[in-house]
Amino acid sequence: MKCEPTDVPPVENIDIPAMREKYRRERDKRLNSAGQKQYVQPVGDFEEAYAGDPHMPVLPRDPITSEIDVAILGGGISGVLAGVELNKAGISNFSNIDHAGDFGGVWYWNRYPGIQCDNDAYCYLPLLEEMGHMPASKFSEGWEIYEYVQSIARRFKLYDKALFHTLVEGVRWDETIQRWRIATDRGDDIRARFVIMANGLLNIPKLPGIPGIHDFRGKMFHTARWEYDYTGGDWKNQVLDKLVDKRVAIVGTGATAIQAIPHLGKYAKQLYVLQRTPSTVDVRRNTPTDPDWARSLQPGWQKERQVNFHRAAMEGLLRPGEPDLVCDFWTELARNLSAQLDAEGWPAITPEEYAARREVMDYQVMERLRLRVEAIVRDRDTAEALKPWYRFLCKRPLSNENYLETFNLPNVKLVDVSGTKGVEGMTEKGFLAGGVEHEIDCMIFASGFEVTSDLDRRWGIGKYEGRNGLSIYDHWNEEYKTLHGIMTHNFPNQFFVGYYQGGLNATTTLQYGRQCHHIAYIIREALQRGVTAVEPSVEAQAEWVQHLRSTAIDNTQWVRECTPSYFNNEGEAQLTSSGVEKYRFYLGEAYGPGWDAFEKLLQDWRDKGDLAGLTLTTGKQ
Ligand code: NDP
């Protein structure tokens, strides 16, 4: 496939030292010594709004006491994939437990206007060939993903076992019965032999700790709990007609905000966009799926596409002669670098030479994106404020055909709050900027989620205790300790899906699915062998952590120099007990040799069949 050229051509001549210095200044301007504490959890006035469910009534039910083989904490894509893999492993006595009213996870909660997936749907949506499903377009609508996830849950018979509108409050290993005891806000006592933590990355909304936030008397909500009753419309019909006489402000300009802002700009009487750090916003070119292309696909096409996307987006280079199948803003750097090497006949280059070339290309692409702002936004000051000054991938790259254009509307005003490290304050009637009060009717928080903050904030589960009352929050306080990123010592029969210590794939859902496959294998083996408890030995865990760290690609400098965001826990450095400077990175600790090597390592481990490194307890229960 030949990729279409970008709408603004790449820029070749750039003063890189000057730009590096500019990036540093912009980053420093945004660094906030409060770190993660600048955010507050939805408590007090907000608690009810976030504990409740604006999408579906929460019906009363009696508490449940049950014994099951596996509790899957979460019903998002990772939770559904855990169910699929258990099902395929012949395990049926399990239950997904979720705070939401249905399967879907982030695609259940997030229904704000404009919501689409920013990733190529042909890669992102799992099990497309097995499900016989073809997405309607390259970037799927939120509701399309939600309905697709539901269809997987139906197909793999997850519904009759699921517990929805059930918030897990406590998880505790009970040695006497060799089971996990799960306590919920419904008063349940669920005793599960195994627990799979499939709780996702973006499940707990956070709010900016703006001085005076509780004084505001108008309407306020977070984008993950969009109130269509107030705005008008719904997520399949984004006509926000109740906003025509409303003055609205939105905090944030991340992936969520840039999708919602065009809709707010279109309907609100007045829209203020309170921006601290601009995003990179490229051309989107969302195209409907071409039926001829879909018919031409051969079995195995999704895997082939995911492999190709992984090379471009994660490994950073295509192979000689390999086309870029995904052809979007995620793959541009690798596409351009591969084209350079192609023109040179693919000379062998060292990792250092690659890094140097990539850095130059990074500056060129970022400059192109800044020029794109200039080409679209008419007001010079607004355009300047909308230009991003950091390296590509320091924040999530975005694409949208209506976002920058919205700032040309007369009712839309960008308010740059970078100088005060965020919104200055709120009052009864509105917000403060430059000491001036701006009256509004509604404040919308597109302020993100607890992603890299402390684990208890991220998980939102009050008590989480393994053997001898050991809290996972203490156990992992300083750093993760796992075997293969999936299990940890003193937490028997406990499995983690997500970004901890293992192989990274550019397609999140693929990574989750493979982790679930491995987990289902261990659970099946344990059940078949009559094992009551399985956990990594201290030695095997230490060996894995050592191997992981000794083969890791050190990204500390890159993460340190990035603009603060949830990607790097707001740029907050931590010193380990051995005095090493570390930054929490949202993708956890990656396996340096790469995804294919990690997959092979786990496959070889399973093929040997001896559950090496795991301690098995039998016959206690
Ligand atoms: P983000 O964390 O990316 O953005 C939060 C925004 O709020 C930032 O712009 C941040 O500014 C701003 N903010 C926070 N506090 C303040 C403050 N005190 N004053 C002013 N501004 C403030 O959250 P999102 O919900 O946008 O996105 C989270 C993630 O969700 C994405 O990165 C992506 O992974 C996922 N997502 C995916 C989508 C998809 O298509 N697949 C769509 C939407 C979201 P600053 O940048 O300065 O910190």
mmCIF file of all heavy atoms in Angstrom, residues 2 11 17 29 37 40 87 111 140 151 163 266 305 323 383 389 435 463-464 469 471 496-497 587:
data_model
loop_
_atom_site.group_PDB
_atom_site.id
_atom_site.type_symbol
_atom_site.label_atom_id
_atom_site.label_comp_id
_atom_site.label_asym_id
_atom_site.label_seq_id
_atom_site.Cartn_x
_atom_site.Cartn_y
_atom_site.Cartn_z
ATOM 1 N N LYS A 2 0.507 2.221 -0.825
ATOM 2 C CA LYS A 2 1.281 3.465 -0.831
ATOM 3 C C LYS A 2 0.560 4.465 0.077
ATOM 4 O O LYS A 2 -0.649 4.688 -0.082
ATOM 5 C CB LYS A 2 1.364 3.979 -2.278
ATOM 6 C CG LYS A 2 2.197 5.201 -2.453
ATOM 7 C CD LYS A 2 3.053 5.115 -3.735
ATOM 8 C CE LYS A 2 3.829 6.397 -3.983
ATOM 9 N NZ LYS A 2 4.444 6.969 -2.807
ATOM 10 N N VAL A 11 9.540 19.073 7.223
ATOM 11 C CA VAL A 11 10.447 20.217 7.198
ATOM 12 C C VAL A 11 11.862 19.703 7.366
ATOM 13 O O VAL A 11 12.128 18.909 8.265
ATOM 14 C CB VAL A 11 10.109 21.146 8.387
ATOM 15 C CG1 VAL A 11 10.965 22.393 8.352
ATOM 16 C CG2 VAL A 11 8.643 21.491 8.361
ATOM 17 N N PRO A 17 19.831 22.298 17.937
ATOM 18 C CA PRO A 17 20.212 22.730 19.293
ATOM 19 C C PRO A 17 19.241 23.776 19.855
ATOM 20 O O PRO A 17 18.860 23.719 21.030
ATOM 21 C CB PRO A 17 21.612 23.323 19.096
ATOM 22 C CG PRO A 17 22.131 22.670 17.857
ATOM 23 C CD PRO A 17 20.938 22.429 16.978
ATOM 24 N N LYS A 29 8.735 24.834 32.313
ATOM 25 C CA LYS A 29 7.593 25.716 32.614
ATOM 26 C C LYS A 29 6.422 24.914 33.179
ATOM 27 O O LYS A 29 5.663 25.381 34.009
ATOM 28 C CB LYS A 29 7.173 26.394 31.305
ATOM 29 C CG LYS A 29 6.198 27.518 31.451
ATOM 30 C CD LYS A 29 6.200 28.379 30.200
ATOM 31 C CE LYS A 29 5.051 28.025 29.308
ATOM 32 N NZ LYS A 29 5.005 28.798 28.071
ATOM 33 N N LYS A 37 0.195 14.776 43.187
ATOM 34 C CA LYS A 37 -0.705 15.346 44.205
ATOM 35 C C LYS A 37 -1.494 16.533 43.665
ATOM 36 O O LYS A 37 -2.411 17.040 44.296
ATOM 37 C CB LYS A 37 0.095 15.750 45.445
ATOM 38 C CG LYS A 37 0.686 14.564 46.157
ATOM 39 C CD LYS A 37 1.099 14.905 47.592
ATOM 40 C CE LYS A 37 1.723 13.708 48.268
ATOM 41 N NZ LYS A 37 3.020 13.315 47.693
ATOM 42 N N VAL A 40 -6.795 15.420 42.238
ATOM 43 C CA VAL A 40 -7.564 14.924 43.372
ATOM 44 C C VAL A 40 -8.499 13.831 42.880
ATOM 45 O O VAL A 40 -8.894 13.808 41.718
ATOM 46 C CB VAL A 40 -8.367 16.049 44.061
ATOM 47 C CG1 VAL A 40 -7.436 17.013 44.748
ATOM 48 C CG2 VAL A 40 -9.265 16.784 43.077
ATOM 49 N N ASN A 87 -12.118 -19.802 28.697
ATOM 50 C CA ASN A 87 -13.070 -20.606 27.956
ATOM 51 C C ASN A 87 -12.348 -21.592 27.025
ATOM 52 O O ASN A 87 -12.636 -22.789 27.011
ATOM 53 C CB ASN A 87 -13.895 -19.615 27.115
ATOM 54 C CG ASN A 87 -15.248 -20.140 26.801
ATOM 55 O OD1 ASN A 87 -15.327 -21.225 26.275
ATOM 56 N ND2 ASN A 87 -16.289 -19.388 27.128
ATOM 57 N N ARG A 111 -18.310 7.958 26.847
ATOM 58 C CA ARG A 111 -19.295 8.117 25.770
ATOM 59 C C ARG A 111 -19.370 9.573 25.330
ATOM 60 O O ARG A 111 -20.388 10.045 24.822
ATOM 61 C CB ARG A 111 -20.668 7.652 26.243
ATOM 62 C CG ARG A 111 -20.655 6.220 26.704
ATOM 63 C CD ARG A 111 -22.028 5.690 27.030
ATOM 64 N NE ARG A 111 -21.921 4.342 27.570
ATOM 65 C CZ ARG A 111 -22.938 3.503 27.651
ATOM 66 N NH1 ARG A 111 -24.131 3.865 27.250
ATOM 67 N NH2 ARG A 111 -22.755 2.297 28.159
ATOM 68 N N SER A 140 -12.535 3.383 14.612
ATOM 69 C CA SER A 140 -13.917 3.036 15.002
ATOM 70 C C SER A 140 -14.537 4.063 15.932
ATOM 71 O O SER A 140 -13.843 4.683 16.748
ATOM 72 C CB SER A 140 -13.928 1.702 15.740
ATOM 73 O OG SER A 140 -13.496 0.677 14.918
ATOM 74 N N SER A 151 -20.328 -8.308 21.775
ATOM 75 C CA SER A 151 -20.570 -9.486 20.930
ATOM 76 C C SER A 151 -19.555 -10.591 21.253
ATOM 77 O O SER A 151 -19.889 -11.774 21.225
ATOM 78 C CB SER A 151 -20.551 -9.112 19.441
ATOM 79 O OG SER A 151 -19.228 -8.863 19.006
ATOM 80 N N LEU A 163 -20.777 -10.265 36.996
ATOM 81 C CA LEU A 163 -21.389 -9.447 38.055
ATOM 82 C C LEU A 163 -21.113 -7.988 37.711
ATOM 83 O O LEU A 163 -19.976 -7.520 37.839
ATOM 84 C CB LEU A 163 -20.721 -9.735 39.395
ATOM 85 C CG LEU A 163 -21.266 -10.855 40.262
ATOM 86 C CD1 LEU A 163 -20.497 -10.861 41.587
ATOM 87 C CD2 LEU A 163 -22.756 -10.653 40.535
ATOM 88 N N LYS A 266 -19.145 23.584 18.305
ATOM 89 C CA LYS A 266 -20.256 23.698 17.352
ATOM 90 C C LYS A 266 -21.549 24.141 18.038
ATOM 91 O O LYS A 266 -22.353 24.859 17.457
ATOM 92 C CB LYS A 266 -20.454 22.322 16.699
ATOM 93 C CG LYS A 266 -21.425 22.293 15.561
ATOM 94 C CD LYS A 266 -21.311 20.946 14.841
ATOM 95 C CE LYS A 266 -22.446 20.793 13.850
ATOM 96 N NZ LYS A 266 -22.523 19.430 13.346
ATOM 97 N N ARG A 305 -1.004 -7.723 9.874
ATOM 98 C CA ARG A 305 -1.107 -6.273 10.017
ATOM 99 C C ARG A 305 -0.561 -5.815 11.372
ATOM 100 O O ARG A 305 0.125 -4.808 11.491
ATOM 101 C CB ARG A 305 -2.577 -5.851 9.851
ATOM 102 C CG ARG A 305 -2.781 -4.369 9.662
ATOM 103 C CD ARG A 305 -4.259 -4.097 9.372
ATOM 104 N NE ARG A 305 -4.510 -2.668 9.256
ATOM 105 C CZ ARG A 305 -4.540 -1.998 8.110
ATOM 106 N NH1 ARG A 305 -4.329 -2.602 6.968
ATOM 107 N NH2 ARG A 305 -4.776 -0.694 8.096
ATOM 108 N N PRO A 323 5.956 -2.987 3.073
ATOM 109 C CA PRO A 323 5.115 -1.786 2.997
ATOM 110 C C PRO A 323 4.610 -1.385 4.376
ATOM 111 O O PRO A 323 4.586 -2.211 5.293
ATOM 112 C CB PRO A 323 3.943 -2.246 2.129
ATOM 113 C CG PRO A 323 3.860 -3.718 2.379
ATOM 114 C CD PRO A 323 5.254 -4.198 2.661
ATOM 115 N N ALA A 383 -2.629 30.299 17.385
ATOM 116 C CA ALA A 383 -1.837 29.278 16.686
ATOM 117 C C ALA A 383 -0.528 29.021 17.435
ATOM 118 O O ALA A 383 -0.132 27.868 17.641
ATOM 119 C CB ALA A 383 -1.559 29.720 15.253
ATOM 120 N N TRP A 389 5.692 21.616 21.840
ATOM 121 C CA TRP A 389 7.156 21.684 21.909
ATOM 122 C C TRP A 389 7.692 20.555 22.771
ATOM 123 O O TRP A 389 8.006 20.739 23.945
ATOM 124 C CB TRP A 389 7.601 23.038 22.467
ATOM 125 C CG TRP A 389 7.207 24.192 21.607
ATOM 126 C CD1 TRP A 389 6.150 25.017 21.790
ATOM 127 C CD2 TRP A 389 7.863 24.647 20.414
ATOM 128 N NE1 TRP A 389 6.092 25.951 20.794
ATOM 129 C CE2 TRP A 389 7.134 25.758 19.928
ATOM 130 C CE3 TRP A 389 8.983 24.222 19.701
ATOM 131 C CZ2 TRP A 389 7.495 26.442 18.772
ATOM 132 C CZ3 TRP A 389 9.345 24.911 18.550
ATOM 133 C CH2 TRP A 389 8.607 26.006 18.096
ATOM 134 N N GLY A 435 -5.998 36.322 36.751
ATOM 135 C CA GLY A 435 -6.670 37.071 37.806
ATOM 136 C C GLY A 435 -8.072 37.526 37.428
ATOM 137 O O GLY A 435 -8.790 38.105 38.251
ATOM 138 N N LYS A 463 -8.329 -2.456 50.253
ATOM 139 C CA LYS A 463 -7.389 -3.435 50.838
ATOM 140 C C LYS A 463 -7.046 -4.469 49.802
ATOM 141 O O LYS A 463 -7.946 -5.042 49.166
ATOM 142 C CB LYS A 463 -8.059 -4.132 52.026
ATOM 143 C CG LYS A 463 -7.791 -3.476 53.331
ATOM 144 C CD LYS A 463 -8.078 -4.430 54.462
ATOM 145 C CE LYS A 463 -7.614 -3.779 55.759
ATOM 146 N NZ LYS A 463 -7.929 -4.557 56.912
ATOM 147 N N TYR A 464 -5.752 -4.735 49.676
ATOM 148 C CA TYR A 464 -5.325 -5.744 48.715
ATOM 149 C C TYR A 464 -4.192 -6.530 49.338
ATOM 150 O O TYR A 464 -3.059 -6.081 49.339
ATOM 151 C CB TYR A 464 -4.872 -5.061 47.412
ATOM 152 C CG TYR A 464 -5.031 -5.966 46.226
ATOM 153 C CD1 TYR A 464 -5.977 -5.697 45.251
ATOM 154 C CD2 TYR A 464 -4.258 -7.114 46.106
ATOM 155 C CE1 TYR A 464 -6.159 -6.534 44.180
ATOM 156 C CE2 TYR A 464 -4.434 -7.966 45.042
ATOM 157 C CZ TYR A 464 -5.383 -7.674 44.085
ATOM 158 O OH TYR A 464 -5.564 -8.511 43.032
ATOM 159 N N GLY A 469 -1.147 -11.031 55.311
ATOM 160 C CA GLY A 469 -1.617 -9.634 55.325
ATOM 161 C C GLY A 469 -0.716 -8.666 54.571
ATOM 162 O O GLY A 469 -0.848 -7.449 54.720
ATOM 163 N N SER A 471 0.349 -6.177 52.041
ATOM 164 C CA SER A 471 -0.396 -5.337 51.098
ATOM 165 C C SER A 471 0.386 -5.225 49.791
ATOM 166 O O SER A 471 1.592 -4.977 49.795
ATOM 167 C CB SER A 471 -0.593 -3.940 51.696
ATOM 168 O OG SER A 471 -1.001 -3.055 50.668
ATOM 169 N N PHE A 496 -1.703 -10.757 36.778
ATOM 170 C CA PHE A 496 -1.856 -9.354 36.393
ATOM 171 C C PHE A 496 -1.832 -9.216 34.877
ATOM 172 O O PHE A 496 -0.925 -9.736 34.223
ATOM 173 C CB PHE A 496 -0.726 -8.506 36.991
ATOM 174 C CG PHE A 496 -0.633 -8.649 38.486
ATOM 175 C CD1 PHE A 496 0.228 -9.572 39.057
ATOM 176 C CD2 PHE A 496 -1.435 -7.882 39.315
ATOM 177 C CE1 PHE A 496 0.303 -9.733 40.430
ATOM 178 C CE2 PHE A 496 -1.375 -8.038 40.695
ATOM 179 C CZ PHE A 496 -0.509 -8.961 41.251
ATOM 180 N N VAL A 497 -2.800 -8.492 34.353
ATOM 181 C CA VAL A 497 -2.811 -8.187 32.918
ATOM 182 C C VAL A 497 -2.516 -6.701 32.797
ATOM 183 O O VAL A 497 -3.161 -5.891 33.465
ATOM 184 C CB VAL A 497 -4.202 -8.461 32.299
ATOM 185 C CG1 VAL A 497 -4.166 -8.242 30.790
ATOM 186 C CG2 VAL A 497 -4.675 -9.865 32.621
ATOM 187 N N LEU A 587 4.126 2.541 30.434
ATOM 188 C CA LEU A 587 4.173 1.201 29.848
ATOM 189 C C LEU A 587 4.955 0.228 30.723
ATOM 190 O O LEU A 587 5.287 -0.873 30.299
ATOM 191 C CB LEU A 587 4.768 1.256 28.441
ATOM 192 C CG LEU A 587 3.938 2.070 27.425
ATOM 193 C CD1 LEU A 587 4.639 2.113 26.075
ATOM 194 C CD2 LEU A 587 2.533 1.501 27.267
#
